[in-house]
């Protein structure tokens, strides 16, 4: 038995894709699988969903190349910077790049042999990468760079997951405004704008939606979740097991620093999960896990590889199942973060188990295997 692991249900991912696609059946679907598929395993997931999507997006060149090396043939785009010295590899592996700086684009154009597919990144208010409206001349000059095949233009929302929709509308307007001013220069094959929140909350899809977090069944925020326009189901479970149970008298300290001291007799369970598994130390004395259908509070500081929880008054035994992040929205909120960060923080040493049609199809375990040949 593996004590602590993440179980990924491929069927649920496919259902989420279908449900999100129902917002607009005509729109292309770009599966955003950066950061190793939000921590769940980019290559495994890409292989399983390739037939249901039109595009893949990642953040690093290495991620894009590993998709190609694993046999992915659908278009792959990098959403962020790629070092100039590595640009050749984008041509070699047929990987699309965002373009957001004229000088950089010229350098790329002069160095490559062969055509590179690029998407013009437009900054409409996210403030990260992209040409701004004041740089229209630069955008127009990209047209002279023969080795760049400008297939698309895109932008990214900064507040599409918030209650107040006004800035999203401003960004959308700016996007179309810029496109309007460069329309005589480029014949884009398609344009893209929406992330999960843009598609689910605002129904913005054309011509392609870039779906990350919601692919995995998580709403971008509670605001988006509460509107329940599109049904999503969390595709993963983070599971551990009770490794030890003990009764303690009053006045017993728990964990490093003695930040928790029992005021009365209690029952304590130890769990083989710690901050080295990506369960953040910020959950010390705050987090909750689910054991036998009851929420159990983390007591004391989270250790590197283990933590303790309160199971007073419960029937709990060694090897009982523990659900980590029973409500990932609530847990992330407790430590002022978002489900995105909790998911992408799950450490590589935590094995990923993949299920399809109720059966285990793959296990990725970077710790190594236990079984003997
Ligand atoms: C991460 C990312 C997305 C996906 O965002 P979600 O909120 O996870 O759907 C889309 N577009 C860009 C440019 C991104 O960086």
């Amino acid at each position: 038995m593996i004590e602590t692991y993440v179980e990924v249900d491929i069927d649920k991912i496919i259902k989420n894709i279908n449900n999100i696609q129902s917002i607009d059946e005509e729109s292309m679907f770009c599966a955003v699988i950066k950061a190793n598929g939000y921590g769940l395993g980019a290559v495994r997931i890409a292989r399983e969903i390739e037939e249901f999507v039109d595009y893949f997006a990642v953040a690093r060149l290495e991620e894009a190349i590993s998709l190609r090396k694993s046999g992915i043939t659908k278009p792959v785009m990098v959403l962020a910077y790629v070092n100039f010295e590595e640009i050749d590899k984008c041509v070699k592996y047929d990987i699309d790049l965002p373009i957001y700086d004229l000088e950089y684009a010229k350098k790329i154009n002069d160095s490559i042999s062969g055509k590179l597919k690029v998407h013009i990144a437009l900054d409409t208010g996210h403030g990260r990468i992209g040409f701004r409206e004041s740089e229209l001349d630069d955008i127009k000059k990209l047209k002279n760079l023969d080795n760049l095949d400008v297939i698309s233009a895109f932008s990214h929302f900064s507040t599409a997951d918030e209650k107040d929709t006004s800035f999203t509308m401003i960004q959308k307007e700016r996007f179309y405004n810029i496109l309007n001013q460069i329309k005589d220069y480029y014949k884009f094959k398609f344009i893209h704008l929406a992330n999960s929140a843009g598609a689910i909350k605002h129904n913005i899809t054309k011509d392609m939606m870039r779906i990350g977090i919601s692919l995995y069944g998580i709403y971008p925020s509670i605001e988006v979740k509460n509107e329940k326009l599109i049904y999503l189901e969390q595709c993963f479970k983070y599971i551990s097991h009770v490794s030890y149970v003990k009764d303690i008298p009053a006045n017993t300290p728990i964990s490093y620093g003695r930040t928790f001291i029992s005021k009365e007799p209690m029952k304590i369970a130890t769990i083989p999960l710690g901050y080295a598994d990506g369960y953040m130390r910020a959950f010390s004395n705050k987090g909750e896990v689910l054991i036998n259908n009851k929420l159990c509070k983390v007591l004391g500081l989270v250790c590197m590889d283990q933590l303790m929880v309160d199971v007073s008054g419960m029937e709990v035994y060694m090897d009982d199942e523990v659900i980590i992040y029973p409500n990932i929205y609530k847990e992330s909120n407790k430590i002022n973060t978002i489900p995105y960060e909790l998911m992408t923080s799950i450490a590589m040493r935590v094995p990923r188990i993949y299920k399809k049609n109720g059966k285990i199809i793959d296990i990725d375990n970077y710790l190594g295997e236990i079984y003997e040949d």
Side-chain angles (χ1 to χ4, degrees):
M1 186 179 78
I2 300 173
E3 303 88 7
T4 299
Y5 58 91
V6 174
E7 187 181 287
V8 181
D9 186 332
I10 300 294
D11 299 311
K12 287 184 182 157
I13 300 180
I14 294 169
K15 273 190 208 147
N16 292 330
I17 293 173
N18 289 334
N19 288 346
I20 297 164
Q21 185 77 68
S22 75
I23 300 169
D24 180 355
E25 297 291 350
E26 300 303 310
S27 171
M28 290 201 290
F29 193 107
C30 173
V32 181
I33 51 172
K34 62 196 182 191
N36 195 28
Y38 288 44
L40 302 178
V43 167
R44 300 277 178 204
I45 292 172
R47 277 191 192 140
E48 298 294 335
I49 67 173
E50 183 168 23
E51 61 176 303
F52 305 104
V53 304
D54 303 285
Y55 242 90
F56 288 106
V58 293
R60 303 278 186 265
L61 179 62
E62 291 89 334
E63 296 181 301
I65 292 174
S66 76
L67 290 177
R68 284 280 179 258
K69 285 190 170 167
S70 73
I72 296 296
T73 58
K74 287 266 166 84
V76 174
M77 95 170 274
V78 174
L79 293 168
Y81 174 76
V82 171
N83 190 290
F84 176 68
E85 290 167 15
E86 312 296 339
I87 295 292
D88 274 357
K89 300 193 176 71
C90 294
V91 179
K92 180 177 170 197
Y93 289 102
D94 189 20
I95 291 161
D96 307 3
L97 267 195
I99 289 292
Y100 47 86
D101 181 278
L102 180 60
E103 287 313 308
Y104 185 66
K106 280 183 185 160
K107 242 171 100 178
I108 292 173
N109 184 66
D110 294 346
S111 80
I112 53 174
S113 45
K115 283 235 173 196
L116 179 68
K117 288 192 202 110
V118 301
H119 304 232
I120 298 177
L122 300 173
D123 181 358
T124 55
H126 186 267
R128 189 168 64 187
I129 56 167
F131 290 99
R132 285 153 289 160
E133 198 162 8
S134 56
E135 297 167 301
L136 282 176
D137 288 342
D138 282 3
I139 302 175
K140 291 171 183 169
K141 281 181 195 150
L142 293 173
K143 198 174 169 53
N144 307 323
L145 306 177
D146 289 334
N147 288 334
L148 302 188
D149 180 11
V150 178
I151 60 171
S152 171
F154 75 105
S155 191
H156 191 43
F157 289 129
S158 61
T159 61
D161 59 335
E162 293 181 10
K163 202 175 180 69
D164 183 346
T165 60
S166 53
F167 195 67
T168 302
M169 294 307 124
I170 290 172
Q171 281 196 270
K172 192 177 150 188
E173 239 165 69
R174 284 184 188 155
F175 184 58
Y176 283 108
N177 240 344
I178 299 175
L179 291 181
N180 216 13
Q181 296 177 75
I182 56 175
K183 68 174 188 295
D184 296 335
Y185 291 77
Y186 300 102
K187 288 277 160 286
F188 297 120
K189 292 203 176 92
F190 59 99
I191 52 170
H192 47 112
L193 180 58
N195 49 6
S196 296
I200 293 174
K201 187 172 192 290
H202 301 272
N203 284 328
I204 297 168
T205 53
K206 295 221 179 271
D207 303 311
M208 178 167 85
M209 36 188 165
R210 300 186 308 267
I211 306 297
I213 196 89
S214 296
L215 198 60
Y216 315 102
I218 302 294
Y219 293 87
S221 67
I222 285 289
E223 273 69 33
V224 179
K225 183 173 195 271
N226 287 345
E227 303 199 355
K228 285 202 175 94
L229 295 172
I230 293 294
Y231 178 73
L232 302 174
E233 196 176 353
Q234 186 172 326
C235 76
F236 63 95
K237 288 185 197 153
Y238 194 1
I239 289 172
S240 190
H241 291 84
V242 173
S243 57
Y244 183 47
V245 182
K246 63 174 174 278
D247 292 306
I248 57 167
N251 218 13
T252 306
I254 298 293
S255 196
Y256 293 112
R258 304 197 305 151
T259 61
F260 179 85
I261 297 175
S262 61
K263 293 197 175 67
E264 57 202 353
M266 294 177 87
K267 194 187 229 180
I268 307 288
T270 302
I271 299 166
L273 171 85
Y275 58 78
D277 298 293
Y279 191 81
M280 299 191 188
R281 203 164 167 271
F283 281 119
S284 300
N285 289 307
K286 275 196 189 140
E288 278 172 310
V289 300
L290 196 73
I291 305 176
N292 301 337
N293 270 320
K294 260 194 92 177
L295 288 172
C296 305
K297 203 165 172 234
V298 172
L299 300 180
L301 298 186
V302 173
C303 310
M304 188 185 290
D305 313 294
Q306 305 181 70
L307 58 82
M308 278 65 79
V309 299
D310 181 5
V311 292
S312 300
M314 294 172 61
E315 289 253 342
V316 173
Y317 301 97
M318 216 187 250
D319 289 339
D320 280 356
E321 190 175 88
V322 180
I323 310 271
I324 316 301
Y325 307 144
N327 178 334
I328 198 166
Y329 305 97
K330 210 174 131 200
E331 291 303 304
S332 58
N333 202 33
K334 279 181 192 167
I335 61 163
N336 293 322
T337 185
I338 50 179
Y340 296 72
E341 192 180 18
L342 296 190
M343 288 174 68
T344 55
S345 297
I346 299 172
M348 288 306 281
R349 84 168 182 191
V350 177
R352 270 66 164 171
I353 297 181
Y354 298 91
K355 270 192 165 172
K356 199 174 159 183
N357 300 322
K359 287 201 199 78
I360 292 176
I361 53 164
D362 260 315
I363 300 179
D364 277 344
N365 190 347
Y366 288 83
L367 278 175
E369 304 292 344
I370 298 171
Y371 66 81
E372 292 171 29
D373 294 319

